[in-house]
Amino acid sequence: MKSNIDGKSAVHSDRKTDYDDSPFDQLLIWLLSRRMAETIGRETHLDGYDGFVDLSQKIVQGRNANEQKQVVMGVLRSLVPEVALQAIRTFFSPTQLVCELNAWSATLLFEWLVGPCEVKEVEIAAADGSVRRQKSGVHIKKCRYLEQSQCVGMCVNMCKLPTQDFFYKDFGIPLTMTPNFEDMSCEMAFGQLPAAIEDDPACREPCLARKCEIANEQAKSCPKLRG
């Protein structure tokens, strides 16, 4: 996949990023979209990534935040055989090496979904209060999904929360995702337990007033976050 993101100047630009998906990227987008359509029993008339986002919007319709998250987790689980999930939980504890390998893998496997990203060093807080530095972070320069959906609620309910839960509950690997709604970047930290929903600033973000077509500028947080 190629994109027009080039350095910090493009990351902060309001101009929509152009993507040139490879045949393999297109296959992955089709596969994920197909699973989503099968899960909710609805189709989309749009192709490629547009169709994927359109199906995401259909998942949101008529479902509250938790129901949206559960649908996405069901789709994610359908993509990985249960025997593989069980083996990973059994034989791979979330050591520094495992977390760093997950970060490296994410930059190779998920650019078609979130856009260009890179491994970075992060501080991981342990349960005993100690902090260690490790290269288990991923910096997403400008999230393709957030840029396309233009919705805080979809970012949190359809990506951040289900992805965090999927890695922790199904793989046994803690993950914290921290979206930046100003420049649409995102930080992933494998090995870091996420904050509780009530303590997570992302779950109290207002609408993207200048971007979302149905933004509620009077609401303190995006109505879709807990709707």
Side-chain angles (χ1 to χ4, degrees), residues 2-131:
K2 296 180 179 179
S3 75
N4 65 7
I5 293 179
D6 183 19
K8 294 183 179 180
S9 60
V11 170
H12 294 279
S13 171
D14 285 333
R15 181 167 61 89
K16 187 176 179 180
T17 308
D18 295 322
Y19 289 93
D20 182 16
D21 293 309
S22 69
F24 185 62
D25 295 331
Q26 294 173 30
L27 175 62
L28 293 174
I29 294 169
W30 176 85
L31 176 61
L32 183 56
S33 299
R34 189 71 255 146
R35 291 297 173 88
M36 291 168 68
E38 291 171 352
T39 299
I40 63 174
R42 300 183 66 180
E43 299 290 339
T44 177
H45 66 280
L46 301 177
D47 296 323
Y49 203 86
D50 290 336
F52 162 66
V53 174
D54 183 51
L55 285 167
S56 296
Q57 293 168 336
K58 294 181 188 302
I59 290 175
V60 170
Q61 295 168 2
R63 293 180 176 86
N64 63 33
N66 185 61
E67 290 169 341
Q68 294 167 33
K69 184 181 74 170
Q70 294 306 318
V71 169
V72 175
M73 289 189 68
V75 171
L76 294 175
R77 286 169 177 151
S78 74
L79 296 170
V80 185
E82 175 56 33
V83 64
L85 291 174
Q86 185 174 356
I88 293 171
R89 289 193 300 267
T90 303
F91 299 110
F92 294 94
S93 59
T95 62
Q96 178 174 339
L97 176 60
V98 168
C99 292
E100 290 181 342
L101 286 174
N102 269 272
W104 174 74
S105 299
T107 62
L108 297 179
L109 299 176
F110 298 120
E111 278 203 358
W112 61 272
L113 181 60
V114 298
C117 47
E118 58 190 7
V119 173
K120 63 176 290 186
E121 189 175 65
V122 292
E123 290 187 346
I124 301 297
D128 61 5
S130 62
V131 177

Side-chain angles (χ1 to χ4, degrees), residues 48 76 89 125 143 180 192:
L76 294 175
R89 289 193 300 267
C143 179
N180 183 325
Q192 183 62 62

